Amino acid sequence: MTSCSNSSPLRLGIAGLGTVGAGVIRLLRMNADLLSARAGRKLEVVAVSARDRTRDRGIDVSTLHWHDNPLDLVSAPDVDVVVELIGGSEGPARALVEKALAAGKPVVTANKALLAVHGSALAKLSADNNAPLLFEAAVAGGIPAIKTVREGLAADKFLHVGGILNGTCNYILTVMRETGKDFDLVLKDAQDLGYAEADPSTDIDGIDAAHKLTILAGLAFGRPVAFDSVQVEGIRQIGAIDFAFARTLGYRIKLLGLARLTDAGLQARVAPCLLPHNAPIAQVDGVFNAVVAEGEFVGRIMLEGRGAGAGPTACAVTADLIDIARGHTIPVWGVQASAEPALRACPAGTGAGAFYLRLMVEDRSGVIADITAVLRDCGVSLRSMLQHPAENETTPYVPLVLVTHQTSEAAMQDAITKIDALSVVTDSPVMIRIETA
């Protein structure tokens, strides 16, 4: 790390004055003396840009230069660093970051979608123009995940990286487990409490977690990861009944993002998983996130904390600003820029694991024999089986859960397709991967 002897203020232009943007300004003002001491110079917001100049954000912006067009922050002579807090992988956020880097102006962003989709091109712009691009706030809010993976563990070779990367999903799954309520009811409650958006699809369909996993995997393995190479599955199909079965089996259900580099390529997926109930990451509940990394020398580490919100995210943004003020810069992916292509993804179906399979089947003799015959023919070996009785005598279908030994994903997908076609099975089968920790 290099020290910075420049005693003049580091002048900031902030684009986006939502929850995070307002939180950054509030933090910079409340902790001004502390931050100046740690940064070696004053951090001063001089200009802002947002869509609505008249909106009350709970902070005074009357003394700041207002730019209706965020791109004007790049050419503003009084702005040393552009802070992009607009969000989204396209539109003004992308245009602003690209223009600032092309002009050689440092950028701090919390935009995980932008980094996940365009990280490779932005890293090249950053290197070509000697313009730092920092994004600690893009993954897991107040957890120092980026610094840990890119800098703190820089000496080690990663075996895998990932974790619980979306607080909305973790909250929903926690409440479902604790209350026995079904997904739709808990989602509505989460929306009423402000933990889920009016349109929650980015969260509950796994997209947000996949953005973050793409970034973590790129940092861990030193090369950009193509976002569309990540296998993504959300939590809509998980029912209250799955938590009852998981409890009986000694598991908890979590939405995990996990990336591993294998001889066949990168395995990166976001999907619900069953975890042993006493595993440390299985104990992370509510809106909290957890980032897990494992290296050959350091072993496994886990960081837990709040993954979103004005305070945690503002702290992460400001930590990046302190680094810039100190003159501390690092390549985007932690290694010197090169012409290396994105990491090659494993072909579909090449992974392996143990699986939980929940079916709704006709309550009559011979059904289990039909299903186990399909699994046998597909080369899938069963470890255990559970069946709950029908809720009442008039219900023609009952839930059946099968737990497999280690098997290939291709074999499981083949088996599910054939089981789903059986006349004795109603509803689509629900398959959840079982992770050991």
Side-chain angles (χ1 to χ4, degrees):
M1 180 180 293
T2 59
S3 61
C4 183
S5 59
N6 189 347
S7 60
S8 61
L10 185 69
R11 300 168 299 177
L12 314 174
I14 298 180
L17 291 179
T19 301
V20 175
V24 170
I25 293 177
R26 190 175 295 112
L27 175 62
L28 289 170
R29 290 174 176 172
M30 289 180 64
N31 290 353
D33 292 342
L34 174 66
L35 296 174
S36 295
R38 290 179 174 172
R41 59 197 293 197
K42 185 178 180 181
L43 304 178
E44 181 182 356
V45 180
V46 297
V48 293
S49 177
R51 286 182 294 185
D52 184 358
R53 191 186 291 236
T54 63
R55 178 183 164 193
D56 181 7
R57 298 173 172 86
I59 53 171
D60 181 13
V61 296
S62 61
T63 61
L64 306 178
H65 295 161
W66 185 282
H67 296 274
D68 291 319
N69 185 348
L71 272 64
D72 291 342
L73 292 172
V74 177
S75 56
D78 61 342
V79 172
D80 301 317
V81 178
V82 170
V83 182
E84 184 276 305
L85 301 173
I86 301 169
S89 63
E90 306 299 335
R94 179 184 179 186
L96 174 61
V97 172
E98 289 179 343
K99 183 175 181 180
L101 294 176
K105 190 163 283 192
V107 173
V108 171
T109 180
N111 195 333
K112 63 260 184 181
L114 181 68
L115 268 296
V117 177
H118 301 295
S120 181
L122 295 177
K124 186 175 188 307
L125 269 177
S126 173
D128 289 349
N129 297 284
N130 195 29
L133 172 61
L134 284 78
F135 46 94
E136 182 63 56
V139 176
I143 302 174
I146 303 299
K147 290 183 184 295
T148 298
V149 173
R150 186 173 58 184
E151 299 167 53
L153 300 177
D156 210 350
K157 180 178 180 180
F158 286 92
L159 303 178
H160 72 257
V161 68
I164 297 172
L165 303 176
N166 184 271
T168 298
C169 288
N170 203 38
Y171 173 82
I172 291 171
L173 294 175
T174 298
V175 174
M176 288 178 69
R177 186 189 79 236
E178 292 177 343
T179 66
K181 292 181 179 179
D182 260 319
F183 173 80
D184 290 339
L185 289 174
V186 178
L187 172 60
K188 177 62 168 60
D189 290 343
Q191 289 172 317
D192 292 342
L193 291 169
Y195 292 144
E197 301 288 344
D199 178 4
S201 55
T202 299
D203 291 318
I204 64 176
D205 291 333
I207 303 302
D208 176 79
H211 286 147
K212 297 168 185 174
L213 181 64
T214 299
I215 295 169
L216 285 176
L219 295 169
F221 304 121
R223 286 166 58 186
V225 171
F227 175 65
D228 59 9
S229 71
V230 180
Q231 300 174 45
V232 185
E233 182 182 335
I235 63 171
R236 293 180 193 261
Q237 79 279 21
I238 305 298
I241 192 171
D242 295 308
F243 287 93
F245 278 115
R247 185 177 294 110
T248 299
L249 292 165
Y251 292 110
R252 288 187 174 185
I253 302 173
K254 296 292 181 181
L255 182 74
L256 295 186
L258 293 173
R260 298 181 177 92
L261 194 58
T262 71
D263 292 341
L266 177 71
Q267 290 181 346
R269 69 167 52 84
V270 171
C273 295
L274 265 68
L275 293 159
H277 71 92
N278 58 353
I281 196 169
Q283 306 299 314
V284 178
D285 283 337
V287 296
F288 280 70
N289 284 193
V291 175
V292 176
E294 185 170 355
E296 287 186 342
F297 282 78
V298 77
R300 178 171 299 199
I301 66 163
M302 187 178 87
L303 305 174
E304 176 186 355
R306 294 190 178 275
T313 310
C315 281
V317 169
T318 306
D320 283 341
L321 294 171
I322 291 172
D323 275 351
I324 291 175
R326 290 170 171 169
H328 177 207
T329 62
I330 191 168
V332 169
W333 300 114
V335 296
Q336 294 302 317
S338 69
E340 293 274 5
L343 284 166
R344 178 172 57 88
C346 288
T350 56
F355 297 89
Y356 160 106
L357 182 63
R358 191 249 298 166
L359 309 170
M360 294 297 293
V361 301
E362 286 187 11
D363 189 14
R364 63 175 178 80
S365 61
V367 169
I368 292 177
D370 291 344
I371 292 169
T372 55
V374 171
L375 293 170
R376 179 201 63 213
D377 293 344
C378 293
V380 177
S381 173
L382 283 182
R383 191 178 78 193
S384 63
M385 178 170 55
L386 293 174
Q387 186 172 7
H388 282 183
E391 294 182 0
N392 57 68
E393 293 182 359
T394 62
T395 302
Y397 293 96
V398 294
L400 174 67
V401 163
L402 310 171
V403 178
T404 77
H405 287 291
Q406 286 281 319
T407 189
S408 71
E409 290 179 3
M412 278 303 297
Q413 290 298 338
D414 185 27
I416 287 174
T417 299
K418 293 175 179 176
I419 288 172
D420 196 21
L422 295 175
S423 61
V424 298
V425 176
T426 185
D427 299 336
S428 297
V430 172
M431 183 181 78
I432 307 176
R433 177 180 292 271
I434 299 173
E435 292 288 341
T436 57

